[in-house]
Amino acid sequence: GAVVSQHPSWVICKSGTSVKIECRSLDFQATTMFWYRQFPKQSLMLMATSNEGSKATYEQGVEKDKFLINHASLTLSTLTVTSAHPEDSSFYICSANGLAGAGNEQFFGPGTRLTVL
Amino acid sequence: GQQLNQSPQSMFIQEGEDVSMNCTSSSIFNTWLWYKQDPGEGPVLLIALYKAGELTSNGRLTAQFGITRKDSFLNISASIPSDVGIYFCAGLDQGAQKLVFGQGTRLTINP
């Protein structure tokens, strides 16, 4: 149980284009989803917290107009990197908290590697 | 802001050896979590700790939640090649429902 999927697993795009990454909880309903970014050999950095049906809460220094988050249902959250630039190349990972019964654990997706040329 | 100090940053050991890593915090956390991340993958939850002083095992892994709620350690006994990876500790900020991660411990095992 508690499986989180991400799509795509990797994407290469040209500078200036937008990229959408999906995060799905497959076997549970996620009240809250989190989006992280991880640069090589570094830890995970929280970008934003997303609650179903409401606006995401962004961490300090994360541009909300650049990283658009939509959490339209209890099983799906999307992150859109708008007008991507090479410095946005990174490993993007989502995680999800379940409804009552899943405790306080966050279950992570497999990540999406974004390369912006 | 909140920070977790995880050590060591890297370990090079022989197969069969035991491993110990720890995390300390300047803040109190009510939940500590230990994750393992393989290259190109997301972190996988190993052990969750909910009570100060709690000692929990999962196979060859043992983790403890420090009595002050500001530290935790993870031990791996009799390491095997598939233990290679990066281990992260994380404390749950209950109020914000956010995880604060340590810097990670990269484990390398020589066969």
Side-chain angles (χ1 to χ4, degrees):
Chain A
V3 177
V4 176
S5 72
Q6 274 183 250
H7 177 79
S9 55
W10 60 269
V11 56
I12 301 172
C13 69
K14 290 183 180 178
S15 189
T17 60
S18 293
V19 174
K20 181 188 279 189
I21 302 170
E22 291 185 351
C23 177
R24 293 181 187 272
S25 56
L26 296 185
D27 50 0
F28 67 103
Q29 293 182 318
T31 49
T32 306
M33 287 184 169
F34 304 84
W35 287 96
Y36 294 83
R37 186 157 68 171
Q38 186 179 33
F39 291 108
K41 298 192 177 180
Q42 292 190 23
S43 188
L44 285 76
M45 284 177 43
L46 180 65
M47 298 174 67
T49 302
S50 152
N51 289 297
E52 184 263 340
S54 61
K55 287 185 182 177
T57 302
Y58 290 81
E59 294 299 297
Q60 196 171 7
V62 178
E63 298 175 57
K64 61 181 179 183
D65 294 330
K66 179 166 184 64
F67 298 100
L68 301 178
I69 291 172
N70 184 283
H71 192 161
S73 78
L74 284 171
T75 59
L76 173 64
S77 176
T78 60
L79 168 69
T80 301
V81 183
T82 62
S83 187
H85 291 285
E87 59 265 29
D88 298 323
S89 299
S90 189
F91 194 49
Y92 291 86
I93 312 173
C94 71
S95 70
N97 264 1
L99 291 175
N104 288 319
E105 303 96 336
Q106 283 184 25
F107 298 96
F108 285 82
T112 296
R113 182 157 306 281
L114 170 63
T115 303
V116 185
L117 302 177
Chain B
Q2 294 171 318
Q3 280 189 316
L4 292 187
N5 293 312
Q6 186 172 346
S7 67
Q9 287 188 357
S10 59
M11 302 183 75
F12 298 85
I13 62 168
Q14 297 293 125
E15 184 178 348
E17 287 185 12
D18 297 343
V19 171
S20 185
M21 59 192 78
N22 70 84
C23 265
T24 59
S25 168
S26 56
S27 309
I28 286 174
F29 288 102
N30 290 318
T31 300
W32 281 86
L33 305 166
W34 284 93
Y35 290 89
K36 178 176 182 259
Q37 185 179 29
D38 291 327
E41 301 285 336
V44 173
L45 180 67
L46 298 175
I47 291 181
L49 301 159
Y50 298 106
K51 211 156 94 171
E54 179 182 355
L55 184 72
T56 297
S57 292
N58 178 8
R60 294 179 295 106
L61 277 59
T62 303
Q64 182 152 35
F65 189 157
I67 199 77
T68 65
R69 292 188 285 163
K70 289 185 178 183
D71 63 303
S72 177
F73 72 73
L74 175 71
N75 286 345
I76 306 173
S77 62
S79 58
I80 59 178
S82 61
D83 292 333
V84 165
I86 304 176
Y87 293 79
F88 290 100
C89 62
L92 178 66
D93 179 334
Q94 206 89 28
Q97 284 295 303
K98 299 190 298 190
L99 286 181
V100 179
F101 279 87
Q103 303 97 323
T105 296
R106 183 180 296 270
L107 179 62
T108 303
I109 298 176
N110 299 316

